[in-house]
Each structure stands twice: as structure tokens, then as C-alpha cells.
Amino acid sequence: MKNDTVLNIEVEQIKASKIDQVDFDNLDFGKVFTDYMFVCDYSEGEWKKPEIVPYQPITIDPSAKVFHYGQAVFEGMKAYKDDNDDVWLFRPDENFRRINLSSQRLAIPEFPEEFFFEGLKTLLQLEKNWIQKGFGNSLYLRPFVIATEPGVSASPSSDYKFMIICSPAKAYYSGEVRVKIAEKFSRAADGGVGFAKAAGNYAAQFYPTSLANAQGYQQIIWTDASSHEYLEEAGTMNVFFRIGDKLLTSPNNDRILDGVTRKSVIALAEDAGIDVEVRRVSVKEVIEAAENDNLKEIFGSGTAAVINPISGFAFQDKKFELPKLEDSYAGYFKKTLMDIQYNNSEDKFGWRYKI
């Protein structure tokens, strides 16, 4: 990860900021965007000079390959402001590594490291006033790449556009979350693109999730595509199970996203002396633990919510409620992670990145 880059990114200044039009106390996640955006085009076999321009619509040909063959990948990140007005990112090296891993799987050219980090630094310096102080407030960052070459031939694009857009965010409270364990639909299959943050992965989840919503469940816990016997992810998040005092989560493979929050939770658990096992977790094992009152917690992990506790779940015709714990693992991990992100505690892991 490059802390000191020398790239000089050209900035087209806005005429006037729209920040005064924003009610920061009443934000819908991902609906309000800041003054600027980062843009870099790929053509003739190379990434061109990046620039930062006023946030605006883009013009793209109707035959652009992103519309027809789905060459699109993205990342989710957050910037945080501490009490001294310093701005921090959390493990951005992992996001950079993963967007290029996702790109590679979809035959998209990898993005240069110095462009990524200098782009983030310059953009966040311009948008510093959009990052509100206060525990839970942040600026959500969405780097993404799309294929822009006109043409409907079924082949990789020759042209691409890499962008970063920013959206102010409040603390994420999802309320009571109940999930349904998948029996038919799958999020990803062996040899596919489940490990990548490919746009199509999320589109494919919407329909089965809408069926679960109609039955009163907010999300699905996805199972493996071949047997539906093993639990893999919860909605759009990695998932953890606490059986007794042991923490379980599925191993990374080509079906499961290598979540930044997930790997941070594992590191924190090991540091705190919590018994954590990264292995396949079967539906049968979790059902039996619930029936024996040994299933203490299920929670998802991801950038938006950090940690999302699950209050109940269903499988086939069985429904289970989880106990409400005062000293939950979910609560501990969420507070510990956020204290690091907001520069409220020691960062022994070196995860914070100062802008």
C-alpha cells in the first residue's frame, strides 16, 4: 500500500457546493452524493490520466458492453472523521486488492495502485466537510469499474471507466433481522464469480430475497449450491455462528466473498482469546445447536452495518428465536471495530490509514 504517492490529479472545481442542501440528520443510505467524483478511463491498452470532476451524470453508448455482458465490479469502503478532524480509512489495501481480484475474474484490466490511493486522498481532501464527526457517521465510498466499449459482440470490452463516488452515511440500524436458510436458490457455485464483488452477484439475489421478504424475513442465509447442506453467507454479508462460546464461520472459497470486516472479526476474536474456527458449518449442526439451546448468536459482517445481529431464523417449517445477550460477541466486535475506525482506541493491527 502506497502512503506517499506523487501523482498529480487534475481537479475540475465545482461552481458551488450542494452540502448546505443536505439534512445530515435524516439520510437514506446511498441516496445523497457529494460534490465530486473520481474518473479514469481505459483505452488503447492503458489507463489514462485520472481526474476529479463535479458529480454529474455520465454519457454512455446504449451498446456499451456493461449493459449486455455484465462486466462490472465494485467495492464498498468508508471514511471516518475523529474528534480532531482527522480523516481515516479502514484497511483500504484490502479493498484495492479485492477490486483487482474481482476485475481479473471478469477480464477487466487491473487498476494501478498509485491511481487508487492518490485518487482517494485527493477526493477525500476535497470532500472533507461531507464527513461528519460522531460515532456512526461516515462517508461511504463506492469505487467501481464498468465496460464502456460500444458493441454487442460477446467478448471482453476494450474500454473501461473506473470511478469513485461518495455518499454521506449515518449509523446503520437494521432493527430486528430474521433470516431464512436457503433450500433451493444459490448465491454462487463452484468455479463461478461468488468470491468477486461482481454487480451480477447482487442482482441474482434480489428475486429469492424478495420471496423471503414476502414471508416476513429480511434476508437469506445462503447454502452451498451442490447440496444445500452447508451455510455460507447471510444476505450480502459474511456470517458468523456462536455455538456455546465457540465462534464459527465458513472458509473462503470461490463462492464466498473475502470480506474485510470478516477477516477483521477473526483477527479480533483470536486476539481476545475467543475460540474461533474457520470451517464448513452445516445446517444440521446449527439446527441441533438451536434445539439444544446452545446456539447463542448469529451475526453478519460487512462494511455498511459493520456487525448485523440476527434475532431469528427459519429452515423448512421450523422457526427459531435467538437469545438476547447482554455481553454478546456481536456487540463486542462492533464496538471494538468502530473504536479502531474512529481513532478512539489503539490500532495494534495497523488497519487505520490516515488521509
Side-chain angles (χ1 to χ4, degrees):
M1 179 171 62
K2 296 184 184 297
N3 286 291
D4 297 308
T5 53
V6 295
L7 183 69
N8 185 20
I9 296 178
E10 185 174 330
V11 177
E12 180 185 340
Q13 295 291 334
I14 56 171
K15 293 181 179 178
S17 176
K18 56 191 177 187
I19 194 169
D20 293 338
Q21 304 169 26
V22 177
D23 182 358
F24 283 93
D25 293 325
N26 295 285
L27 291 169
D28 288 334
F29 181 77
K31 295 291 184 70
V32 174
F33 294 93
T34 59
D35 291 322
Y36 291 97
M37 61 186 189
F38 173 91
V39 182
C40 188
D41 290 313
Y42 181 94
S43 63
E44 300 173 327
E46 64 178 4
W47 288 103
K48 305 301 183 181
K49 185 173 175 60
E51 58 181 347
I52 292 174
V53 300
Y55 185 92
Q56 60 191 281
I58 61 174
T59 300
I60 189 168
D61 197 286
S63 68
K65 291 195 174 184
V66 64
F67 299 134
H68 304 275
Y69 302 111
Q71 272 187 293
V73 299
F74 67 94
E75 273 299 318
M77 310 169 64
K78 284 182 177 178
Y80 313 88
K81 184 179 283 184
D82 66 18
D83 291 338
N84 297 317
D85 284 332
D86 289 325
V87 175
W88 303 87
L89 296 174
F90 181 73
R91 307 189 75 174
D93 53 323
E94 292 290 340
N95 298 102
F96 171 73
R97 179 192 64 82
R98 193 171 61 186
I99 198 167
N100 276 341
L101 187 67
S102 299
S103 294
Q104 184 184 72
R105 181 61 181 84
L106 270 70
I108 297 171
E110 294 185 18
F111 198 63
E113 183 177 11
E114 63 272 21
F115 285 14
F116 184 80
F117 282 97
E118 193 67 16
L120 283 171
K121 289 169 65 176
T122 306
L123 187 60
L124 290 174
Q125 286 163 359
L126 289 165
E127 308 284 34
K128 187 172 183 179
N129 291 339
W130 287 84
I131 311 170
Q132 301 290 292
K133 283 195 290 190
F135 206 58
N137 295 327
S138 63
L139 186 66
Y140 183 80
L141 312 176
R142 172 53 62 88
F144 64 100
V145 195
I146 58 172
T148 56
E149 180 193 2
V152 294
S153 61
S155 61
S157 177
S158 62
D159 301 333
Y160 298 88
K161 188 178 290 291
F162 186 106
M163 302 181 67
I164 305 174
I165 56 176
C166 311
S167 178
K170 294 285 289 180
Y172 186 96
Y173 297 110
S174 58
E176 295 269 308
V177 175
R178 288 175 175 78
V179 298
K180 188 171 185 180
I181 295 176
E183 302 172 58
K184 175 185 175 184
F185 294 102
S186 300
R187 178 188 174 275
D190 293 335
V193 297
F195 70 91
K197 282 188 78 71
N201 287 350
Y202 297 80
Q205 294 185 44
F206 295 157
Y207 174 66
T209 301
S210 70
L211 297 179
N213 293 161
Q215 298 175 37
Y217 302 97
Q218 284 71 47
Q219 289 289 355
I220 291 174
I221 294 186
W222 303 100
T223 49
D224 68 290
S226 58
S227 70
H228 294 290
E229 293 178 6
Y230 294 94
L231 299 154
E232 298 202 325
E233 291 194 0
T236 59
M237 309 180 81
N238 296 118
V239 64
F240 289 84
F241 305 88
R242 177 183 174 184
I243 297 179
D245 287 332
K246 183 177 292 185
L247 191 64
L248 307 175
T249 193
S250 301
N252 287 335
N253 53 43
D254 56 10
R255 302 182 306 276
I256 295 176
L257 186 72
D258 185 15
V260 178
T261 310
R262 170 191 176 276
K263 63 178 60 179
S264 303
V265 167
I266 293 170
L268 290 175
E270 292 172 343
D271 184 66
I274 294 171
D275 188 5
V276 55
E277 291 185 5
V278 180
R279 62 168 174 81
R280 299 179 84 186
V281 182
S282 70
V283 176
K284 180 180 178 182
E285 177 182 10
V286 169
I287 296 295
E288 288 179 353
E291 291 175 338
N292 296 330
D293 295 325
N294 204 28
L295 180 63
K296 304 302 182 185
E297 296 181 69
I298 303 175
F299 57 88
S301 66
T303 299
V306 186
I307 301 294
N308 195 350
I310 292 169
S311 58
F313 71 97
F315 178 67
Q316 296 177 346
D317 59 347
K318 297 179 179 179
K319 296 181 180 181
F320 299 91
E321 292 294 308
L322 295 171
K324 299 185 185 300
L325 305 178
E326 288 187 10
D327 298 319
S328 68
Y329 284 178
Y332 169 76
F333 291 129
K334 184 164 188 172
K335 184 179 187 307
T336 304
L337 276 172
M338 292 181 71
D339 278 340
I340 294 172
Q341 291 167 340
Y342 287 86
N343 197 26
N344 289 338
S345 67
E346 177 190 4
D347 177 19
K348 65 171 69 175
F349 302 97
W351 289 340
R352 279 195 298 262
Y353 178 92
K354 189 173 184 180
I355 296 299

